[in-house]
Amino acid sequence: QVQLAESGGGLVQAGGSLRLSCALSGRSFYVYAVGWFRQAPGKEREFVASITWSDGDTSYADSVKGRFTISRDNANNLVSLQVNSLKPEDTAIYYCASKRRSFQRYDSWGQGTQVTVSS
């Protein structure tokens, strides 16, 4: 079983940037893809971006395309999310998650990191 731990959240003004990190750990874990999700107060959790572990294929929600960039560092078991041009509506708890097969749901989750964007 893989464990995930997010870091890098904080308070930033609109237009600012942050770099969120997701550290993966565990004995002999296998990951097909890692995704970032977010949940704003009073809203459902939503998909933000994902990356496949072996090929680095990426996918983004329309709301973040052009502003957010997901990347991976296989050697150090890290997945990062560079978030630029932040807007107040990006305020949420950001979670990373992993899945072992393309057709499976994300089944391992981190604890989340808070991102707050002030106007």
Side-chain angles (χ1 to χ4, degrees), residues 12-90:
V12 63
Q13 290 187 330
S17 299
L18 287 171
R19 188 172 183 86
L20 309 182
S21 293
C22 176
L24 287 75
S25 62
R27 291 181 59 185
S28 302
F29 65 83
Y30 176 78
V31 170
Y32 170 77
V34 175
W36 282 94
F37 297 76
R38 64 186 182 186
Q39 187 165 20
K43 295 187 177 181
E44 292 191 354
R45 186 170 59 197
E46 65 174 357
F47 169 79
V48 175
S50 66
I51 189 165
T52 58
W53 194 248
S54 60
D55 298 332
D57 292 336
T58 60
S59 179
Y60 296 91
D62 288 343
S63 59
V64 306
K65 281 181 182 177
R67 299 190 298 124
F68 291 12
T69 303
I70 190 170
S71 61
R72 79 207 193 287
D73 178 352
N74 297 59
N76 292 298
N77 293 333
L78 286 173
V79 173
S80 297
L81 185 69
Q82 179 68 39
V83 296
N84 299 327
S85 302
L86 283 163
K87 306 174 182 179
E89 52 264 42
D90 293 317

Side-chain angles (χ1 to χ4, degrees), residues 98-119:
S98 69
K99 59 180 178 179
R100 288 164 287 177
R101 297 289 186 270
S102 62
F103 52 84
Q104 287 182 336
R105 302 178 68 175
Y106 288 88
D107 57 4
S108 295
W109 293 82
Q111 294 297 310
T113 186
Q114 176 72 48
V115 172
T116 303
V117 184
S118 63
S119 57

